Amino acid sequence: NRPMATLVFYGMAAGGSLLDTSAMISEEPVRIEGQWYTPIIPSWPKNRLSLTLFQNMTSKQIELVKISDSDKLEWMARSYNWRYNSYTTTLLPQTIDIYDIIEGPASKKLVAKFEYNNVRFANESSEK
């Protein structure tokens, strides 16, 4: 499912500081469930899907990713359980929860949970 795959991609890549978000459009801070976030709008995807990243104003990590489309789909992913990854030298989320928030964040319903026990990256020397 494209919306779910997009949420997981941005939850891990943007959440783990593997994407440069400095050139993306930032909007005015918003409060979600008592926490302040800076919304960031990536340039991809451009078709039916609307995507917003939310950077925690205190920790500076992208913790939330919201996606919606014209078919009344509205989901939000929360990345958490951060662990240091020596290969990327960044913190990566070990858990990403995806919620249906069509009725608002206060009425969210869990759609899927992704738990990563060990995140590894292939390097060129091991692939040869």
Side-chain angles (χ1 to χ4, degrees):
N1 159 318
R2 185 173 181 192
M4 191 172 297
T6 303
L7 285 173
V8 171
F9 169 77
Y10 275 104
M12 180 62 75
S17 301
L18 303 175
L19 289 178
D20 181 12
T21 58
S22 63
M24 296 179 188
I25 299 168
S26 293
E27 295 184 341
E28 291 298 314
V30 296
R31 193 173 181 141
I32 301 172
E33 296 182 330
Q35 182 66 50
W36 285 98
Y37 294 92
T38 302
I40 300 171
I41 311 299
S43 59
W44 177 86
K46 291 185 180 206
N47 56 9
R48 296 177 12 177
L49 297 174
S50 173
L51 189 77
T52 306
L53 312 176
F54 293 92
Q55 183 180 41
N56 183 305
M57 292 183 68
T58 304
S59 70
K60 303 300 181 197
Q61 282 196 282
I62 294 176
E63 296 177 353
L64 303 174
V65 182
K66 181 176 136 185
I67 197 164
S68 57
D69 71 7
S70 59
D71 294 331
K72 301 284 186 192
L73 173 109
E74 193 163 357
W75 287 349
M76 184 172 286
R78 177 175 295 278
S79 299
Y80 62 100
N81 195 13
W82 304 92
R83 293 228 172 83
Y84 179 78
N85 182 279
S86 60
Y87 181 79
T88 63
T89 65
T90 64
L91 293 174
L92 294 178
Q94 301 299 297
T95 308
I96 299 174
D97 292 344
I98 299 177
Y99 296 96
D100 181 341
I101 59 165
I102 195 73
E103 295 176 13
S107 300
K108 65 186 177 193
K109 296 177 184 114
L110 186 65
V111 174
K113 177 187 275 292
F114 295 88
E115 293 180 334
Y116 301 93
N117 294 325
N118 191 4
V119 178
R120 293 188 208 179
F121 294 84
N123 60 32
E124 291 181 14
S125 63
S126 67
E127 292 178 338
K128 292 181 181 176

